[in-house]
Amino acid sequence: MPRLLIALLLATSGALAGAAPVSATDDAGHPIRLDAPARRIISLAPHVTELLFAAGAGARLVGVSDYSDFPPAAKIIGSVGGAAALDIERIVMLKPDLVVAWGSGNSASQLARLRALGIAVFDSEPRDFATIASSLERLATLAGSEATGHAAARDFRVRLQTLTSTYQRRATVPVFYQIWRAPLMTLNGQSMVSSAIRLCGGNNIFAQLPQLAPVIGAEAVLQANPEVILTGGDDEAAALADWRRFPSLLAVQRNNLFVINADWLARSGPRLLDGTELLCRQLDSARRKRPS
């Protein structure tokens, strides 16, 4: 067989192999099947952007949502709008092979419209550490970057296990996590933040509330009397100063008013372990302040 013909057959074989269908199940249980790994991907939430970069698919991103600012390379990718108000025309114009959405953050009607146009939409909604790790693997499968995604997932699980074995059995610390001041809001036990608090041996004092992000009254916090008050923000004085008006609060008495970069805890991506590790150290600090 002539060498040129052999080369052409090998090239064709390689192209066909590279174009093999890929599939994965998203966080809402929807099966996603692509005829070939996605080469044009759009992210509709900051946590999704972080997951895609960590999974090795950053170079395939042609559009991201507002506030997709990590890693730094994400900042140069054009925006397709805010999470709740997407620019559908721009998304269609970018001709994505795959759109990775945020089920509870994006507009349900806009996501339905994308699906009606025949665009594959992966629903990303990690609510626990295990789902973050598997997201790295599933997104890597759809992007054809399995080696990178599986390595990232493996590293995530190893670090998670180290944190779990170090902190989970330590004395329980009652924690109030504040996400907004006016109105006063928190997160319940189904949130990713609550998972981080549990891993560190903490107890979210409002875990039992039915809403994911309930509005509460200051009286409820005073009655629960948490040992730690935690918030995400850059300015501790602005975020937590209000609580110093209540010197009877245990968290105030012991100066257990802590701030963690909100992106580290609010975004369900690999950096969540950075936030969790810092949270664990903060709860250890609270434990050391207990009377002998």
Side-chain angles (χ1 to χ4, degrees):
M1 184 179 294
R3 291 182 179 179
L4 179 59
L5 179 57
I6 292 174
L8 288 172
L9 288 173
L10 289 174
T12 302
S13 173
L16 291 174
V22 292
S23 61
T25 301
D26 72 10
D27 292 344
H30 305 132
I32 309 297
R33 185 184 184 281
L34 305 177
D35 292 336
R39 289 294 177 265
R40 299 180 64 80
I41 303 174
I42 292 177
S43 162
L44 301 186
H47 85 270
V48 169
T49 302
E50 296 193 24
L51 284 169
L52 286 165
F53 268 94
R60 297 172 176 81
L61 278 167
V62 296
V64 297
S65 68
D66 292 348
Y67 306 109
S68 288
D69 53 9
F70 189 86
K75 296 179 182 179
I76 65 174
I77 303 172
S79 171
V80 295
L86 303 169
D87 186 340
I88 298 295
E89 291 184 2
R90 177 162 176 75
I91 292 173
V92 173
M93 183 184 69
L94 289 170
K95 299 180 180 180
D97 304 312
L98 176 68
V99 168
V100 186
W102 177 22
S104 65
N106 296 137
S107 163
S109 61
Q110 288 194 310
L111 295 184
R113 184 178 172 191
L114 292 176
R115 290 186 171 101
L117 292 171
I119 298 174
V121 178
F122 181 105
D123 190 332
S124 174
E125 192 78 30
R127 292 282 177 85
D128 54 43
F129 292 100
T131 305
I132 292 177
S134 71
S135 293
L136 293 167
E137 294 168 333
R138 288 175 286 146
L139 291 172
T141 294
L142 294 175
S145 55
E146 290 94 337
T148 301
H150 282 256
R154 183 168 57 251
D155 291 345
F156 185 92
R157 291 186 178 109
V158 169
R159 188 178 175 193
L160 174 63
Q161 180 55 44
T162 299
L163 287 172
T164 301
S165 60
T166 301
Y167 292 102
Q168 196 168 45
R169 295 179 182 272
R170 299 197 178 181
T172 301
V173 179
V175 177
F176 168 55
Y177 183 74
Q178 176 179 308
I179 62 172
W180 204 253
R181 281 191 291 167
L184 186 61
M185 297 179 68
T186 187
L187 292 169
N188 75 358
Q190 302 303 310
S191 66
M192 195 68 249
V193 171
S194 202
S195 294
I197 291 172
R198 284 193 299 272
L199 184 149
C200 295
N203 173 44
N204 177 357
I205 61 172
F206 293 113
Q208 78 285 356
L209 295 181
Q211 302 91 352
L212 180 64
V215 175
I216 57 171
E219 297 80 7
V221 179
L222 293 171
Q223 183 176 2
N225 197 22
E227 190 174 355
V228 165
I229 296 178
L230 174 71
T231 190
D234 298 324
D235 187 341
E236 179 177 358
L240 298 175
D242 290 349
W243 294 110
R244 298 190 184 278
R245 297 182 294 116
F246 305 104
S248 62
L249 267 176
L250 190 58
V252 173
Q253 290 176 12
R254 297 182 182 174
N255 198 30
N256 291 332
L257 305 176
F258 300 128
V259 176
I260 293 180
N261 184 329
D263 292 344
W264 290 4
L265 286 181
R267 296 184 184 181
S268 297
R271 289 195 297 168
L272 181 67
L273 291 184
D274 295 331
T276 301
E277 185 173 1
L278 176 55
L279 171 59
C280 289
R281 294 202 302 267
Q282 290 172 335
L283 295 195
D284 256 2
S285 172
R287 292 183 184 100
R288 288 193 295 269
K289 294 176 184 177
R290 288 173 172 172
S292 300

